[in-house]
Structures are given as structure tokens and as C-alpha cells.
């Protein structure tokens, strides 16, 4: 049997992310995940949120491993993964029904700044639901400052691998989202100095930092 791609970080963070996502996705039906990676999050969240249809996606080079995990482990509410590179046209014609939520974990610090801009431009260009929610998980900075020494070390490590990677400022991400009509409604603290940023088109009124 082929060995599946595996992330220990996913195993560690999936339960706290699920606890935070569950109330936020209570009114959502169809979630597009961008940068699904190993598929561990897709399998786990879809199994625990059976009222949702979960649409995984990733770049071409991840699709083989991702598909293998989904074939082996996914519940029937997980759709076959789509090829989605934020720099290319998004495969929206392949979606069975409109997307009303987007989830993306540990992607914005891997993407270059150009890719992060394309991530938000793509949301504006392709996803038109007035109820759209965006949930972004990962490490973030405030006004250029790291929230922990471990995040500063992680940023150095990222940049050694790829100088275009790096932990992003929440203020920049919030501006990019606002340009697509998505307001930051919650900035939730998560274990290991991560955050879950909750943006919404419908409730863009105010920010809670928890
Ligand atoms: C560190 S992995 C995170 C995977 C998974 N979400 C997780 O939390 O374990 C970063 C992900 O970002 C995706 N990514 C990087 N650049 C991308 C791009 N241009 N378009 C779409 N996804 C991209 C990678 O393919 C990869 O799946």
C-alpha cells in the first residue's frame, strides 16, 4: 500500500481548529479548501461536520498524494480534489454548487506576496456569494512584529528555504480581504502561537480579538 503524505502539525492542530470552525461554519454548506496538502484536515473536518460538502484543492504536485488519502479515508461529503494554483485561473466551473466558505491552513506564509495577492484577488474574481466566509489559519505578525520567538525562528527557516516565503502581517491580510468586501470579524488565538482569522462578507462590521 502506498504511503500517504503526512503532517504531524496537522495531527496536532486539527482538533483545536475543528472546535473553532464548528460554530463559524454552522450556516455554511460548501467549503473550498485552498492548499489542502496531505488531506488530513479535509478528512477530519468533513467527518466531524457532516452537513458540509468539503471541496479540497491544491497545486498539481500535491494532487496525487492528496487524492490517495481522500480515496482511502474521506467520507462521502468530500469531493474529489481540484487543481487550484492561485496564480492560474480557478476551476470554478468544476464546482457543483456555489462556495459559501473558504478554509486555508498554513498557506499564506508559504506563498510569495504575489501569490497572497492572487489568493485574495481570486476570491473576489471567482467567488461571489454574499454570505462568503473566509477562515485562514496559521502564524501571523502584528505591525511587522512576531508574536513569539518561535515564530521569528520559523520565519528565518522559511526564508532559508524560499526567500519569498514569510509570516505575513495581519494588517496587510486584512487590507487585501477588505478590497474583496471581506471584513475581519474575529481574530482567534490558537495553540502554538497561531491564529484563526475569520473574515465575512455578511458581517464585516467589527473585529473581536479573542
Ligand atoms: C505548509 S503546506 C500546508 C498544507 C495544509 N493546509 C496543512 O495545513 O498542513 C502549504 C500549502 O500551500 C500550498 N500552496 C503554495 N503555493 C500555492 C499556490 N500558488 N496556489 C495554491 N496553493 C499553494 C501548497 O501547495 C501546500 O499545500
Amino acid at each position: 500500500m502506498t504511503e500517504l503524505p503526512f503532517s504531524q502539525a496537522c495531527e496536532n492542530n486539527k482538533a483545536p481548529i475543528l472546535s473553532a470552525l464548528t460554530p463559524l461554519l454552522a450556516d455554511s454548506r460548501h467549503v473550498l479548501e485552498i492548499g489542502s496538502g496531505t488531506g488530513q484536515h479535509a478528512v477530519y473536518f468533513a467527518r466531524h461536520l457532516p452537513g458540509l460538502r468539503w471541496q479540497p484543492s491544491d497545486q498539481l504536485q500535491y494532487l496525487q498524494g492528496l487524492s490517495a488519502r481522500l480515496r482511502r479515508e474521506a467520507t462521502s461529503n468530500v469531493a474529489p480534489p481540484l487543481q487550484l494554483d492561485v496564480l492560474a485561473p480557478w476551476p470554478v466551473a468544476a464546482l457543483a454548487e456555489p462556495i459559501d466558505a473558504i478554509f486555508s491552513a498554513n498557506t499564506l506564509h508559504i506563498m510569495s506576496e504575489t501569490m497572497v495577492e492572487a489568493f485574495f484577488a481570486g476570491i473576489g474574481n471567482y467567488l461571489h456569494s454574499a454570505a462568503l466566509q473566509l477562515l485562514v489559519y496559521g502564524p501571523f505578525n502584528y505591525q511587522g512584529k512576531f508574536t513569539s520567538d518561535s515564530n521569528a525562528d520559523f520565519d528565518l527557516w522559511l526564508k532559508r528555504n524560499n526567500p519569498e516565503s514569510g509570516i505575513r502581517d495581519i494588517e496587510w491580510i486584512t487590507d487585501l480581504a477588505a478590497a474583496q468586501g471581506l471584513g475581519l470579524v474575529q481574530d482567534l488565538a490558537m495553540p502554538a502561537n497561531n491564529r484563526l482569522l475569520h473574515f465575512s462578507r455578511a458581517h464585516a462590521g467589527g473585529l473581536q480579538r479573542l
Side-chain angles (χ1 to χ4, degrees), residues 44-63:
Y44 185 77
F45 299 148
R47 183 175 297 150
H48 287 85
L49 299 169
L52 289 176
R53 182 170 171 80
W54 197 275
Q55 175 62 69
S57 75
D58 213 319
Q59 300 178 100
L60 180 62
Q61 62 267 37
Y62 283 78
L63 285 188

Side-chain angles (χ1 to χ4, degrees), residues 10 35-37 41 58-59 62 84-86 105-107 110-111 115:
C10 273
S36 297
H41 280 156
D58 213 319
Q59 300 178 100
Y62 283 78
L84 193 162
D85 182 325
V86 295
N106 296 312
T107 50
I110 300 294
M111 294 178 184
M115 290 176 190

